[in-house]
């Protein structure tokens, strides 16, 4: 394995900083707030944090529009606070991974302002521009009429996120620069510099936003692989223990390109979607209509997931990992249409699969996707998954003492809160904690340990070394042979009797087998 060893038993907690904990009563979460909650995070067993962007930004895309890559946004604190957060996390065995928005900046970034000037300067080619305002490119999306510079800039996501220029793999127009153009090499150098800067302050790696988007004119994908292989080599030469995690959603390509971990989630592939997101009415995209496997109705299947998963898994397993998250800031929460039992079954899957699991803040208590919110900072339909963490009963459910908060706190009477769940042995929080502990304690459940599917229906059954996992989301009882002497390490509505695991409707179990057999 070329990946850093610490990934073997890593379980990530994904924190959306503005909504985690407000330490100075201004209504918005901050770095010191995260610092104050490190004992909670460590107590859950998480040993790594992925922080959504915390850099200075005008926040038109919640911080994915960066105006200064070298500065923590004042609303979150200071660079010094970041350093302290990494130190305090480190003392508790937790590593902090930053979000690296490598493909674009905000229009308010100094580099872009210089780039938009009509006179040539060192930033002229830092972004992708056409050479006339009347030429809005062949492909991609370009913005015209922004500045006195005679040209259109390419936007990478929203209009306010101009694409940084790492060059074109295939140059077909005079304004397109080849990847090895000195100015494009300069963009690379800057990115590496940013990575060094935060690594020196304590970051243990990066989740790279839209990692696939950096090279333009690259239909074969060769250019982007070339670029990341280069960046990996440079980064790892200085930070061998640092990790590179991609938002690519095609692990085969991402790991070949040099990433350690890639998410298998959205962007058209049907893996995650068929398990959790085929919910009628909750997705905008028509193609996502059907029945999720993890639903009590039991009308879904695992075949589509497994065929995609296995192909990627077989391809990457010597060199990197697939990450399956409970959710993230871009999707509706996994709790949509699921009760606590359904979630326990889903987490039994997520926390026992190979690779690196991620838990989105609040999913450990079953926080709801809040419907009907106005878009906040470019969130649109993502906004409902970004509401404040629910800590305890009382004002703003313990998130902030301010009268107004970044987003409204879940106002429902039965809104789950961490403090109550801490005190309830059977809570989702304590079940999640138990799964994390079992994962860390059993090498068979570590990232690179084996994986063998035994049954693909209801139940879905797989072996990982001496561990057997049985998942039965369907509301119908099933039984599975376990042999004598096997023990349940964790279970939901299930027990072992006479060499058989019996689950009632909606059950799951993680079983340590007495004899590992073949
Ligand atoms: C990624 C982020 C998303 C952001 C976009 C543009 O998909 O996860 O939140 O809006 O990139 O940076
Ligand atoms: Ca604050």
């Amino acid at each position: 394995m070329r990946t850093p060893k610490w990934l073997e038993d890593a379980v990530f907690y994904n924190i959306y900083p503005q909504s985690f904990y407000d330490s100075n009563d201004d209504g918005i979460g901050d770095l010191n707030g995260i610092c104050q909650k490190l004992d909670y995070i460590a107590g859950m067993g998480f040993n790594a944090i992925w922080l959504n962007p915390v850099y200075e930004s005008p926040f038109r895309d919640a911080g994915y529009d960066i105006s200064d890559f070298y500065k923590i946004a004042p609303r979150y604190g200071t660079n010094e606070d970041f350093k302290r957060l990494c130190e305090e996390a480190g003392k508790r065995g937790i590593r902090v991974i930053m979000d690296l928005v490598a493909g674009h900046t905000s229009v308010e970034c100094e580099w872009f302002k210089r780039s938009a000037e009509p006179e040539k300067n060192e930033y002229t080619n830092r972004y992708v521009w056409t050479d006339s305002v009347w030429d809005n490119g062949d492909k991609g999306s370009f913005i015209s009429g922004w500045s006195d510079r005679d040209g259109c800039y390419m936007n990478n996501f929203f209009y306010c996120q101009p694409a940084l220029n790492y060059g074109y793999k295939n140059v077909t127009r005079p304004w397109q620069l080849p990847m090895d153009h000195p100015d494009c090499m300069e963009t690379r150098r800057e990115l590496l510099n940013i990575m060094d800067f935060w690594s020196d302050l304590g970051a243990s790696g990066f989740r790279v936003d839209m990692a696939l988007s950096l090279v333009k004119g690259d239909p074969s994908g060769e250019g982007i692989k070339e670029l990341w292989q280069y960046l990996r080599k440079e980064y790892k030469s200085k930070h061998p223990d640092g990790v590179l995690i991609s938002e690519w959603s095609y692990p085969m390509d991402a790991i070949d390109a040099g990433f350690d971990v890639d998410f298998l989630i959205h962007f058209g592939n049907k893996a995650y979607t068929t398990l959790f997101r085929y919910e009628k009415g909750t997705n905008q995209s028509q193609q996502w209509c059907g029945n999720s496997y993890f639903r009590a109705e039991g009308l879904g299947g695992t075949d589509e997931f497994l065929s995609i998963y296995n192909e990627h898994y077989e391809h990457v397993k010597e060199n990197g990992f697939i990450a399956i998250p409970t959710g993230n800031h871009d999707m509706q929460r996994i709790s949509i249409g699921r009760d606590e039992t359904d979630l326990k079954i889903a987490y039994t899957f997520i926390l026992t699969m190979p690779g690196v699991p991620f838990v989105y803040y609040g999913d450990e208590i079953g926080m709801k996707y809040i419907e009907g919110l106005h878009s906040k900072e470019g969130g649109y339909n993502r906004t409902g998954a970004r509401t404040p963490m629910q800590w305890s009963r009382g004002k703003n459910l313990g998130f902030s003492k301010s009268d107004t908060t970044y987003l409204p706190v879940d106002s429902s009477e039965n809104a789950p809160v961490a403090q109550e769940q801490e005190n309830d042995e059977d809570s989702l929080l304590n079940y999640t904690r138990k799964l994390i502990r079992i994962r860390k304690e059993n090498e068979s459940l570590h990232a690179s340990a084996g994986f063998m599917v035994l049954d693909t229906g209801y139940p879905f059954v797989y072996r990982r070394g001496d561990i057997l996992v049985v998942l039965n989301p369907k509301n119908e009882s099933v039984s599975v042979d376990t042999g004598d002497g096997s023990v349940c390490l964790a279970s939901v509505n299930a027990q072992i009797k006479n060499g058989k695991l019996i689950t009632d409707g909606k059950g799951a179990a993680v079983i340590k087998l007495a004899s590992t057999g073949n």
Side-chain angles (χ1 to χ4, degrees):
M1 268 285 168
R2 64 173 195 199
T3 50
K5 214 171 163 353
W6 65 266
L7 280 179
E8 276 297 337
D9 70 348
V11 183
F12 276 77
Y13 194 48
N14 175 188
I15 297 181
Y16 190 70
Q18 47 273 65
S19 290
F20 197 59
Y21 185 60
D22 173 21
S23 71
N24 60 351
D25 309 338
D26 63 354
I28 189 155
D30 44 61
L31 294 180
N32 287 338
I34 298 170
C35 217
Q36 289 174 25
K37 294 296 184 182
L38 282 171
D39 287 335
Y40 168 81
I41 298 167
M44 285 297 296
F46 296 111
N47 47 16
I49 290 172
W50 158 28
L51 261 189
N52 289 114
V54 288
Y55 314 90
E56 188 185 84
S57 164
F59 295 103
R60 293 199 196 129
D61 184 17
Y64 283 93
D65 49 328
I66 296 170
S67 52
D68 187 344
F69 277 94
Y70 295 99
K71 190 176 168 206
I72 295 290
R75 75 185 199 183
Y76 298 137
T78 62
N79 289 13
E80 206 39 52
D81 294 334
F82 177 78
K83 190 171 168 213
R84 186 154 19 87
L85 171 64
C86 294
E87 278 163 14
E88 288 298 318
K91 287 182 197 159
R92 294 162 177 83
I94 299 171
R95 291 179 162 85
V96 179
I97 307 293
M98 296 183 96
D99 216 309
L100 185 68
V101 188
H104 47 268
T105 70
S106 157
V107 285
E108 285 171 40
C109 181
E110 258 338 284
W111 310 338
F112 184 70
K113 291 185 186 159
R114 296 294 314 281
S115 191
E117 289 172 2
E119 298 80 26
K120 201 166 165 27
N121 62 62
E122 59 177 312
Y123 292 101
T124 298
N125 290 329
R126 179 56 62 89
Y127 298 82
V128 182
W129 288 85
T130 66
D131 53 10
S132 153
V133 73
W134 311 119
D135 177 0
N136 56 359
D138 296 326
K139 286 203 180 84
S141 70
F142 285 81
I143 305 294
S144 58
W146 176 266
S147 61
D148 292 342
R149 173 171 176 168
D150 188 9
C152 303
Y153 71 83
M154 181 190 260
N155 65 311
N156 223 29
F157 195 70
F158 289 153
Y159 85 96
C160 57
Q161 290 160 309
L164 284 163
N165 196 358
Y166 297 89
Y168 278 70
K169 177 69 183 165
N170 301 325
V171 172
T172 58
R173 303 289 302 275
W175 46 265
Q176 298 174 348
L177 304 182
M179 288 175 67
D180 59 1
H181 186 282
D183 293 344
C184 299
M185 294 305 282
E186 198 48 33
T187 312
R188 291 189 191 192
R189 197 203 50 77
E190 186 86 57
L191 185 67
L192 287 166
N193 206 42
I194 293 167
M195 293 166 85
D196 280 345
F197 181 83
W198 294 105
S199 302
D200 291 346
L201 289 180
S204 296
F206 300 91
R207 172 269 189 188
V208 180
D209 185 67
M210 291 176 64
L212 182 55
S213 74
L214 274 49
V215 175
K216 310 302 180 193
D218 183 30
S220 71
E222 264 168 73
I224 188 69
K225 282 191 191 161
E226 228 172 272
L227 175 66
W228 277 112
Q229 279 159 1
Y230 169 86
L231 293 170
R232 176 193 167 95
K233 207 163 133 246
E234 295 291 312
Y235 169 69
K236 296 266 179 173
S237 71
K238 291 196 194 150
H239 315 284
D241 228 19
V243 298
L244 295 174
I245 301 173
S246 51
E247 183 196 36
W248 191 308
S249 264
Y250 206 77
M252 293 203 272
D253 287 351
I255 305 306
D256 283 354
F259 281 94
D260 298 305
V261 183
D262 183 38
F263 292 100
L264 186 59
I265 32 170
H266 41 209
F267 300 160
N269 75 50
K270 291 189 157 196
Y272 191 80
T273 313
T274 64
L275 297 179
F276 297 112
R277 305 191 70 206
Y278 260 9
E279 321 301 6
K280 290 193 189 85
T282 60
N283 287 302
Q284 320 73 27
S285 166
Q286 284 303 321
Q287 85 209 38
W288 288 357
C289 276
N291 293 291
S292 299
Y293 176 76
F294 284 97
R295 297 275 298 181
E297 293 83 4
L299 299 171
T302 57
D303 292 349
E304 210 166 345
F305 165 74
L306 283 170
S307 72
I308 296 171
Y309 183 86
N310 283 330
E311 195 192 353
H312 285 272
Y313 173 71
E314 288 303 325
H315 185 94
V316 308
K317 71 181 187 195
E318 306 301 328
N319 293 313
F321 300 124
I322 296 172
I324 304 181
T326 62
N328 68 29
H329 63 294
D330 288 334
M331 45 171 114
Q332 282 134 328
R333 287 207 183 247
I334 192 171
S335 62
I336 278 203
R338 295 192 174 86
D339 64 18
E340 203 178 279
T341 307
D342 299 327
L343 290 175
K344 285 179 176 171
I345 300 167
Y347 298 175
T348 308
F349 164 74
I350 291 171
L351 289 164
T352 59
M353 283 291 281
V356 184
F358 280 67
V359 176
Y360 185 52
Y361 83 97
D363 281 347
E364 74 275 26
I365 55 169
M367 267 174 66
K368 298 280 174 292
Y369 172 78
I370 309 295
E371 309 269 356
L373 294 179
H374 283 300
S375 179
K376 177 88 176 178
E377 298 183 346
Y380 302 97
N381 65 321
R382 306 175 292 183
T383 305
R386 299 175 171 186
T387 57
M389 175 66 184
Q390 297 158 201
W391 294 104
S392 54
R393 291 288 155 222
K395 186 167 185 172
N396 298 321
L397 299 181
F399 162 69
S400 168
K401 294 195 187 73
S402 170
D403 289 335
T404 50
T405 53
Y406 173 75
L407 276 170
V409 176
D410 185 351
S411 59
S412 56
E413 212 181 304
N414 57 355
V417 296
Q419 194 187 41
E420 281 173 10
Q421 293 203 15
E422 289 265 9
N423 300 326
D424 170 5
E425 216 186 304
D426 290 330
S427 66
L428 182 59
L429 176 146
N430 275 316
Y431 185 73
T432 307
R433 189 197 322 257
K434 186 191 241 182
L435 288 172
I436 295 172
R437 178 173 50 74
I438 292 169
R439 183 177 181 97
K440 294 205 308 209
E441 281 172 7
N442 289 276
E443 267 179 45
S444 302
L445 291 174
H446 287 185
S448 67
F451 171 62
M452 185 172 67
V453 175
L454 303 178
D455 205 331
T456 63
Y458 292 99
F460 176 23
V461 184
Y462 50 89
R463 269 274 291 278
R464 302 207 54 210
D466 60 349
I467 302 282
L468 183 77
V469 179
V470 179
L471 304 163
N472 180 35
K474 190 175 179 171
N475 205 358
E476 228 172 70
S477 66
V478 294
S479 78
V480 175
D481 284 331
T482 60
D484 288 331
S486 302
V487 287
C488 263
L489 300 179
S491 66
V492 182
N493 295 330
Q495 48 181 307
I496 294 177
K497 253 193 217 150
N498 306 327
K500 271 184 189 309
L501 175 92
I502 305 177
T503 90
D504 302 336
K506 305 215 285 187
V510 183
I511 296 157
K512 186 153 196 143
L513 297 170
S515 111
T516 58
N518 47 19

